[in-house]
C-alpha cells in the first residue's frame, strides 16, 4: 500500500547515532514524531553509552529532511554534538510498519 505513492522515488534505509545531550530530553519522542510526520518508518532507542541510535526508512527526499533534523534540530532541550549515518542504501520495500521507540 505505502509503495504505490512512492513508485517514482527511491526508498532508502539509513542507520544513525546521535551524540551529545540526547538522553533525558525527550529526543526519542521527538524523533518518532518527526519520522511519523514525514511518513518514515523504523525505530529509535537510547544506548548505554549515552547516545541515541536508530534506523529510518522511506522516501529518499524525506530521509534527507530527517537526516538534517537529526543533525541540527532534535528535541527542544537537546544538544547535538554529532550525528553519524551508516549503511545507507536503496531498498525495494519497507521493513517496518511504523516508527517505534525501543527500550
Amino acid at each position: 500500500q505505502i509503495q504505490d505513492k512512492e513508485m517514482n522515488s527511491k526508498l532508502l534505509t539509513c542507520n544513525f547515532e546521535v551524540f551529545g545531550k540526547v538522553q533525558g530530553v525527550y529526543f526519542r519522542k521527538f524523533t518518532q514524531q518527526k519520522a511519523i510526520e514525514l511518513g518514515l518508518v523504523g525505530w529509535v532507542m537510547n544506548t548505554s553509552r549515552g547516545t541515541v541510535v536508530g534506523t529510518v526508512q522511506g522516501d529518499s527526499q524525506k530521509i534527507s529532511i530527517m537526516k538534517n533534523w537529526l543533525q541540527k534540530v532534535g528535541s527542544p532541550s537537546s544538544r547535538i554534538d554529532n550525528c553519524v549515518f551508516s549503511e545507507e542504501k536503496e531498498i525495494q520495500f519497507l521493513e517496518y510498519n511504523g516508527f517505534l521507540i525501543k527500550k
Side-chain angles (χ1 to χ4, degrees):
Q1 298 263 315
I2 295 173
Q3 246 64 56
D4 298 342
K5 64 179 185 194
E6 295 180 342
M7 283 309 273
N8 48 5
S9 67
K10 291 191 301 190
L11 288 179
L12 295 182
T13 184
C14 183
N15 297 343
F16 62 87
E17 183 166 12
V18 190
F19 299 82
K21 185 185 167 199
V22 292
Q23 289 190 8
V25 291
Y26 299 102
F27 198 92
R28 292 173 303 166
K29 183 175 198 275
F30 277 87
T31 300
Q32 181 187 48
Q33 286 176 348
K34 186 65 179 177
I36 290 168
E37 174 192 316
L38 291 170
L40 300 173
V41 300
W43 58 271
V44 62
M45 68 181 275
N46 284 339
T47 69
S48 56
R49 56 188 182 277
T51 64
V52 169
V53 296
T55 298
V56 287
Q57 296 185 343
D59 175 84
S60 57
Q61 291 169 316
K62 301 288 173 63
I63 293 280
S64 292
I65 296 168
M66 188 71 194
K67 285 170 73 174
N68 182 69
W69 186 90
L70 286 165
Q71 285 176 297
K72 299 186 169 80
V73 185
S75 65
S77 40
S78 67
R79 186 197 73 245
I80 301 164
D81 294 338
N82 192 19
C83 185
V84 176
F85 300 103
S86 60
E87 297 182 52
E88 183 173 326
K89 59 183 186 277
E90 198 170 339
I91 53 174
Q92 296 307 308
F93 53 87
L94 301 173
E95 297 163 330
Y96 304 95
N97 290 320
F99 198 92
L100 300 173
I101 295 175
K102 289 189 181 180
K103 297 291 182 223

